[in-house]
DNA sequence: TGTACATCAGTGAACGCGCGTTCACTGATGTAC
DNA sequence: TGTACATCAGTGAACGCGCGTTCACTGATGTAC
């Protein structure tokens, strides 16, 4: 049977990706429960009606959007690691500094979903919960692969420190409070990762 | 002017405290946005209609409930510290073990609001946000007061590690995954607090 | 002591609104001839 | 090349429902006599 294409072959797929892409940001910025379908579609320049030609439910979009968020985050971290290596800097310090940076603090919609959504993830329906769990494990492995061998077993705690401290910093009232928490978090992460503070300061 | 009391003097106040008390648990268990006024009143054995004779708005109850949650948490931690001291154990290890315990993991409704609500707190209206910020600062001071002097400047990072790791553990799929993350978190917290793992194991 | 009454904590129906979802439709498109 | 048409991505109104909030009321209570 001949398949007749009325619209450009990838028209619908492009739109779908646009929805998932903007949802990945909005969900991290505003939270899952607090984000509605109408708003998520509006962010992609569309109206609510078309939503269900692309996704079976809001949860289905949330699941895909969180998967995309994770892919983006991993890509950013890989770039940090690659750049550091190319310049002869420590990859783990680059990861720590990138995670606990003011840039990351100010842009929860573009950052790690663990710190942006935190406890809300554990309350989601099973498929979404599992997606979040997979994201967590990927990040732990990514950290473990950059930490000196004797400290690799601490990768989970290091991720906990990074994501927990960024959340606290985002709660800080003044810019100074926020910076102080980020600084504390970086120093502590260096200690856990077994890298010297001296190197860190130099980097 | 004579004040005539038709109901027992503290009747209304008792009811109000009951609402705040159950809300403090429900909000931490289910999240703020996901908890409705009808449900919060039902948890206290009441119907929605009476809500506004007690509180000006949902946000007003949330604010009070989070303050109560913080008072309860501080009381629990003070008890942990007092018990440890009475038995000659390390207070900071007692705090760390209490925070990263399976008991705390399983009961987000009874635990630290930072790990139960996480990123949602930073998205609340200013008064609630400030309440959460105050809770964070109280916990940081509490930790700082129990950590050896040279490491007191790390109290914020230690709190970040505790709350972040507990959140990750709650995301863990299996009981073993959860336990592994709690274990990692405890070891890492001992390191940051400058207490020996040996002592910790013995405690 | 017993009865009538003023009080007010709490009830339950209703408000407008936004939610997630459904559906009849519209109009821009590529194809057929 | 130009026109008619079949397709289908996207629109916008509507569904039932639960939200936060309001309000007329009810009925259990302590007080007055």
């Amino acid at each position: 049977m001949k398949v007749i294409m009325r619209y450009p072959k990838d028209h619908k797929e492009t739109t779908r990706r646009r929805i998932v892409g903007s949802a990945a940001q909005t969900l991290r910025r505003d939270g899952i429960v607090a984000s509605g379908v109408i708003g998520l579609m509006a962010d992609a320049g569309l109206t609510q009606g078309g939503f269900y030609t692309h996704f079976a439910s809001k949860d289905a979009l949330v699941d895909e959007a969180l998967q995309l968020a994770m892919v983006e985050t991993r890509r950013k971290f890989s770039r940090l690691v690659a750049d550091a290596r190319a310049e002869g800097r420590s990859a783990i310090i680059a990861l720590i500094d990138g995670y606990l940076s003011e840039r990351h603090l100010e842009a929860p919609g573009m950052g790690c979903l663990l710190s942006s959504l935190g406890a809300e993830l554990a309350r989601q329906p099973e498929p979404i919960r599992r997606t979040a769990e997979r994201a967590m494990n990927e990040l732990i492995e990514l950290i473990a692969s950059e930490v000196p061998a004797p400290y690799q077993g601490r990768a989970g705690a290091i991720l906990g420190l990074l994501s927990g401290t960024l959340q606290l910093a985002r709660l800080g009232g003044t810019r100074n409070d926020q910076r102080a928490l980020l600084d504390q978090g970086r120093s502590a992460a260096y200690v856990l990762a077994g890298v010297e503070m001296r190197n860190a300061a130099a980097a």
Side-chain angles (χ1 to χ4, degrees), chain A:
Chain A
M1 195 197 292
K2 198 174 171 228
V3 177
I4 302 170
M5 279 291 156
R6 304 290 157 182
Y7 278 75
K9 198 165 82 225
D10 53 1
H11 177 99
K12 192 177 179 187
E13 184 57 27
T14 302
T15 304
R16 184 194 168 91
R17 267 203 270 268
R18 188 153 39 91
I19 300 169
V20 176
S22 58
Q25 287 190 41
T26 304
L27 290 168
R28 279 177 286 179
R29 177 165 36 82
D30 298 343
I32 296 172
V33 184
S35 298
V37 168
I38 293 182
L40 292 170
M41 287 296 273
D43 289 342
L46 299 166
T47 57
Q48 17 118 337
F51 184 86
Y52 293 88
T53 68
H54 290 289
F55 309 99
S57 64
K58 181 193 170 185
D59 277 350
L61 169 60
V62 170
D63 199 337
E64 266 195 65
L66 294 190
Q67 287 181 41
L68 175 63
M70 186 51 219
V71 169
E72 285 173 353
T73 297
R74 199 178 38 207
R75 192 174 298 139
K76 275 182 198 174
F77 283 2
S78 298
R79 199 167 301 135
L80 281 177
V81 167
D83 288 356
R85 284 212 180 109
E87 300 171 25
R89 291 184 286 109
S90 153
I92 184 65
I93 289 177
L95 275 182
I96 291 167
D97 291 356
Y99 201 110
L100 293 178
S101 65
E102 288 185 54
R103 192 156 178 248
H104 193 183
L105 180 139
E106 280 164 4
M110 312 285 282
C112 173
L113 76 166
L114 296 173
S115 49
S116 301
L117 295 172
E120 198 175 0
L121 293 168
R123 294 186 206 108
Q124 295 306 304
E126 263 313 310
I128 297 176
R129 212 192 123 105
R130 270 195 298 272
T131 296
E133 191 194 341
R134 240 178 289 124
M136 172 181 79
N137 287 326
E138 281 182 35
L139 284 174
I140 291 177
E141 275 167 40
L142 198 148
I143 291 171
S145 72
E146 300 303 336
V147 151
Y151 306 115
Q152 275 171 11
R154 281 182 188 163
I158 293 174
L159 182 61
L161 169 66
L162 296 180
S163 124
T165 305
L166 187 59
Q167 277 181 38
L168 296 189
R170 284 184 178 143
L171 209 55
T174 68
R175 178 51 28 143
N176 275 347
D177 292 345
Q178 298 180 338
R179 265 197 272 259
L181 280 162
L182 291 181
D183 287 347
Q184 279 192 40
R186 280 196 302 271
S187 303
Y190 298 156
V191 171
L192 292 185
V195 297
E196 288 300 312
M197 298 271 301
R198 219 170 314 254
N199 295 351

